[in-house]
Amino acid sequence: MYEDKTLVCKDCGEEFVFTAGEQEFYAEKGFVNEPKRCKACRDAKKGSTGASKPEREMFIATCASCGGEAKVPFQPREDRAVYCSECFAKMKAE
């Protein structure tokens, strides 16, 4: 039913093959558009988006349950209890 197609990458301009198997996979997933980039350019684009994210600032606090060190992605406040990940998981399970 599907036949290999030769497409042109919109980034590098090189030809690449959109195989029958890939077309079948796209159809099963409900994708209606053909790929616009070759595998190398898709991989490069995926890699570049994650690298541009700034690293999240972490704050050190004392766990209100065990007294150990807790690293949290928010500025702890005096009026709110902070828990380390282990104690938080235990509380959530209860």
Side-chain angles (χ1 to χ4, degrees):
M1 182 166 146
Y2 296 102
E3 291 183 22
D4 289 359
K5 289 184 183 180
T6 302
L7 304 175
V8 178
C9 178
K10 79 175 206 172
D11 288 350
C12 69
E14 295 292 318
E15 290 184 345
F16 66 98
V17 178
F18 185 35
T19 66
E22 290 170 330
Q23 292 173 50
E24 188 175 349
F25 173 80
Y26 271 52
E28 286 174 5
K29 295 293 182 185
F31 301 147
V32 293
N33 298 323
E34 294 178 340
K36 303 240 184 287
R37 294 178 178 88
C38 65
K39 175 136 176 59
C41 289
R42 279 196 316 261
D43 290 346
K45 184 165 175 60
K46 284 180 189 175
S48 69
T49 57
S52 65
K53 265 188 171 178
E55 187 146 336
R56 192 174 215 179
E57 183 179 2
M58 299 297 279
F59 298 90
I60 307 295
T62 302
C63 176
S65 182
C66 70
E69 183 179 278
K71 290 185 181 179
V72 293
F74 56 87
Q75 179 72 49
R77 297 187 338 209
E78 296 283 330
D79 62 331
R80 302 286 306 235
V82 175
Y83 300 96
C84 67
S85 51
E86 288 179 16
C87 291
F88 185 77
K90 286 178 190 172
M91 288 176 47
K92 198 170 183 179
E94 292 175 356

